[in-house]
Amino acid sequence: MAPHARDAARTSPVDSLVTRHRLRPLELLPWVLVIPPYWLFDTYLPLGSEILIMVLFALSLDLILGYAGIVTLGHAAFFGLGAYTAGILAANGWGEPISGLAAAAAVAGATGYVTGRIILRAHGLTLLMMTLVIVLALNEAANRMGWLTGGADGLSGIEMWPLLGLFRFDLYGRTGYVYAAAVLFVAWIFVRRIVHSPFGRSLTGIRENVTRMHAIGVPVRTRQVTIYAIAAVLAGIAGGLLAQTTQSVALTVMTFERSGAILIMLVLGGVGRLYGAFVGVPAYMIAQDNLARLDPVYWYFWVGLMLVVVVLFARGGILGIVDRARDLVVRRRP
Amino acid sequence: MTTAALEVQGLNKNFGALVVANAIDFRLEPGARHALIGPNGAGKTTFVNLLTGRLQPTSGRILLGGDDITALSQEQRVKRGLGRTFQINQLFKGLSVLENVTLAVGERAGVAGDMFRVAGTHRGVVEEAYGLLERLGIADDALKLVREVPYGRQRLVEIALALALNPKVLLLDEPAAGVPQGESKVILDVVAALSPDIAMLIIEHDMDIVFRIAKRITVLVQGAVLIEGTPQEIAADRQVREVYLGERDHG
């Protein structure tokens, strides 16, 4: 190797790692795309809000599944806790949205921390079952405590105060859409920060090889519990947003089905890459919306088929396909 | 007598009726080049796992630099300067070589829990990791994913991860295992060139490697220490030849 070439090689690997957190233009694409629907599809804004909320929910799942490698079927527990917290507050005379979200985050986060400390001692299938048990137990608790949650009838009487004291939650969901987009934006900045921090990098190490992480002196469980609680906070905020923008909470916020569905959406988009949530959730929900209209009886079959195809032929989800396509184009160039 | 870098007193480990470590007494002197040998199933890797805290002993004590570490977790032992490599690679296969080592350096430097600054602000950590790759001659592969790097070089990453911890005591579990003859020399050169400040215990099958590196040898048989001595003493010992080298009839 020529001396100058060696010099270049000497600095560049370090630089490439040190600068990996820098924002690439493509990362702003979701935020450009989120604006036009406000005017273009104004009758679809409630669906739009729900998509944004589910993106936030999937983003929180990506932190534990994609980065820390913790597989869970109970993530909806935190979504549901957030929804009920914000909903119950608003139904009992405290309809201020921001503080309602903060309360949702606190309740979900505290529950995430406590349950995380207990269940993250387990691994693999045992852990998976425990996450499942938690969501089922909380669902049953919400069902039994009808005086507080409305039980199977759902929580009614939610009245939201205007956002920031200025913007009413209107019938068309305009305020809700902007509100959900703003919260998702702030959460995205936060999650992106964590993912690119040394803490976030160490999570990928835990995902890649726990044995080695122990051997280099990592307090593995502490890191796992921390990220589990953070993901619970974000899921709680997502649930709180759903309660506030739809002004209703049903038992379905906190089910195994919802835990599974969000997992599917994330896998569809691509796991462990921050933007899988932004791709998978809209793809799934828009497809679901259209399929349900085209084939009202068997639409779930088509959703299932879509999934089987992705799992069999497109590991890494939709973003994985994009990656491979790009590699193909780059390699073809002389 | 000086304080041993690592000392083991009356170490026992049973799995039910199966005894895998039997009253082991062992001293690793500061700066030692010590080899642990023994036939398959002698309990060599179990011994390493007891030292590092992956396994808890049934009874006995382990001292690191004179301090009792028997009750400490793996993480705490690492923080006190006990590093190891694995017989079978334990690497972050989906991450680049540089990032593998950066994770270890960052952990040792105490920045890895930092959640609110981007990793890039800790440039010194990455530079140190890269410097280590240069020292081991694998800097060319810095940005390749570990799983794309040849096995021999993965073994060097394995060593780099341990060295990144600045260990006082280094446990090398068959560093050249699975590496073709031609490439194992590179790994041995790296091991031979390690700082004399590091006390080293090398677990090895290959007698050429053992006799080249070790100044002292301990022979482990069925979980117990059979004999300890200089390479010459071990090579000449009749018991060792019978039990381990299997030269009873045609020596």
Side-chain angles (χ1 to χ4, degrees):
Chain A
M1 206 189 283
H4 63 274
R6 193 182 300 153
D7 277 355
R10 194 189 151 74
T11 52
S12 70
V14 172
D15 282 336
S16 80
L17 201 56
V18 165
T19 59
R20 205 171 61 185
H21 63 276
R22 288 197 186 149
L23 193 69
R24 282 156 297 157
L26 205 56
E27 293 185 75
L28 292 173
L29 186 62
W31 307 110
V32 176
L33 292 179
V34 93
I35 297 167
Y38 184 78
W39 289 283
L40 291 181
F41 306 112
D42 53 356
T43 53
Y44 278 99
L45 286 181
L47 176 64
S49 308
E50 202 187 334
I51 288 177
L52 294 174
I53 289 164
M54 294 305 274
V55 169
L56 175 56
F57 186 30
L59 193 61
S60 74
L61 180 62
D62 203 15
L63 275 180
I64 47 176
L65 177 70
Y67 286 89
I70 302 167
V71 185
T72 168
L73 283 174
H75 204 43
F78 307 117
F79 186 87
L81 279 171
Y84 274 114
T85 304
I88 288 167
L89 274 178
N92 290 282
W94 183 257
E96 203 288 310
I98 308 286
S99 55
L101 275 195
V107 170
T111 311
Y113 178 75
V114 172
T115 58
R117 283 199 64 151
I118 299 165
I119 68 171
L120 288 169
R121 291 161 191 274
H123 308 275
L125 201 57
T126 319
L127 176 59
L128 196 66
M129 288 304 112
M130 294 223 234
T131 61
L132 190 56
V133 163
I134 285 172
V135 71
L136 294 178
L138 283 174
N139 183 276
E140 191 51 32
N143 187 25
R144 292 287 176 89
M145 290 158 68
W147 55 272
L148 184 64
T149 63
D153 298 332
L155 184 67
S156 55
I158 296 178
E159 275 185 44
M160 298 311 300
W161 301 353
L163 185 59
L164 303 172
L166 296 171
F167 308 100
R168 301 194 155 282
F169 284 89
D170 53 300
L171 213 57
Y172 305 102
R174 290 173 179 276
T175 303
Y177 185 78
V178 175
Y179 180 37
V183 171
L184 176 60
F185 184 73
V186 173
W188 168 72
I189 291 174
F190 174 72
V191 170
R192 201 177 174 283
R193 220 4 156 21
I194 287 187
V195 163
H196 287 295
S197 73
F199 171 80
R201 300 269 165 92
S202 83
L203 294 179
T204 61
I206 293 172
R207 180 193 68 204
E208 292 283 325
N209 194 331
V210 176
T211 305
R212 171 57 79 173
M213 286 306 260
H214 283 296
I216 61 174
V218 180
V220 170
R221 176 112 46 81
T222 312
R223 300 259 163 91
Q224 285 176 321
V225 172
T226 306
I227 197 62
Y228 196 72
I230 289 173
V233 163
L234 293 171
I237 291 175
L241 271 177
L242 187 73
Q244 292 179 344
T245 56
T246 62
Q247 313 214 343
S248 68
V249 183
L251 281 174
T252 54
V253 291
M254 197 151 58
T255 52
F256 162 64
E257 284 79 5
R258 186 178 288 273
S259 299
I262 200 66
L263 195 63
I264 287 166
M265 292 185 220
L266 183 61
V267 169
L268 183 66
V271 172
R273 44 208 311 166
L274 198 59
Y275 296 98
F278 289 84
V279 175
V281 173
Y284 180 94
M285 290 184 68
I286 292 170
Q288 187 188 43
D289 193 55
N290 284 304
L291 288 170
R293 217 171 320 134
L294 291 172
D295 189 348
V297 183
Y298 295 116
W299 64 273
Y300 231 128
F301 167 78
W302 299 109
V303 172
L305 187 67
M306 185 169 83
L307 263 172
V308 170
V309 169
V310 166
V311 170
L312 281 182
F313 303 109
R315 287 198 61 209
I318 295 172
L319 287 177
I321 298 176
V322 172
D323 272 359
R324 278 194 292 277
R326 199 185 46 202
D327 284 354
L328 229 71
V329 172
V330 172
R331 235 174 260 162
R332 285 234 176 117
R333 263 183 223 151
Chain B
M1 201 152 63
T2 53
T3 311
L6 184 70
E7 188 174 357
V8 169
Q9 299 170 346
L11 199 68
N12 287 295
K13 176 70 184 175
N14 311 334
F15 291 112
L18 181 69
V19 180
V20 289
N22 186 2
I24 298 177
D25 290 309
F26 176 79
R27 271 178 72 91
L28 190 68
E29 302 297 337
R33 294 292 178 268
H34 200 129
L36 182 69
I37 65 173
N40 276 327
K44 302 186 293 290
T45 295
T46 302
F47 184 58
V48 171
N49 286 339
L50 286 166
L51 294 179
T52 59
R54 272 188 99 187
L55 291 175
Q56 271 300 315
T58 310
S59 64
R61 296 207 310 157
I62 302 167
L63 309 174
L64 184 67
D67 300 326
D68 192 333
I69 59 164
T70 319
L72 298 187
S73 68
Q74 286 189 72
E75 292 92 86
Q76 290 166 319
R77 296 181 197 203
V78 172
K79 296 269 186 270
R80 286 173 178 236
L82 183 63
R84 76 168 293 181
T85 67
F86 291 86
Q87 182 185 350
I88 297 161
N89 281 347
Q90 297 287 350
L91 301 170
F92 311 115
K93 285 192 176 176
L95 306 182
S96 72
V97 170
L98 180 58
E99 201 172 2
N100 267 260
V101 181
T102 300
L103 279 177
V105 175
E107 207 59 53
R108 189 212 72 225
V111 304
D114 184 349
M115 205 181 287
F116 297 107
R117 267 174 301 177
V118 293
T121 55
H122 303 288
R123 192 188 172 91
V125 168
V126 187
E127 279 175 344
E128 186 185 331
Y130 190 73
L132 198 51
L133 296 184
E134 283 186 318
R135 221 175 93 203
L136 302 194
I138 46 177
D140 291 348
D141 289 335
L143 291 184
K144 285 198 192 128
L145 297 185
V146 162
R147 74 162 84 90
E148 292 168 354
V149 173
Y151 191 79
R153 297 201 135 203
Q154 287 188 15
R155 291 308 281 167
L156 288 172
V157 178
E158 184 73 35
I159 295 173
L161 278 169
L163 292 181
L165 308 170
N166 284 352
K168 296 193 197 96
V169 173
L170 179 59
L171 311 174
L172 294 170
D173 197 350
E174 298 197 34
V179 178
Q181 282 290 329
E183 288 173 46
S184 69
K185 184 177 178 307
V186 180
I187 293 170
L188 288 183
D189 288 345
V190 164
V191 171
L194 289 180
S195 157
D197 295 336
I198 300 176
M200 190 172 86
L201 177 66
I202 180 168
I203 290 89
E204 193 46 80
H205 263 304
D206 186 329
M207 286 304 123
D208 291 342
I209 296 177
V210 170
F211 286 113
R212 187 174 149 202
I213 290 175
K215 303 275 195 297
R216 277 196 90 71
I217 298 176
T218 296
V219 183
L220 204 63
V221 176
Q222 291 178 352
V225 175
L226 180 72
I227 186 173
E228 186 192 319
T230 64
Q232 290 75 23
E233 287 164 3
I234 299 297
D237 188 88
R238 184 165 179 78
Q239 234 183 334
V240 173
R241 294 168 81 97
E242 281 179 10
V243 173
Y244 182 58
L245 299 173
E247 292 180 27
R248 190 178 320 198
D249 297 318
H250 46 271

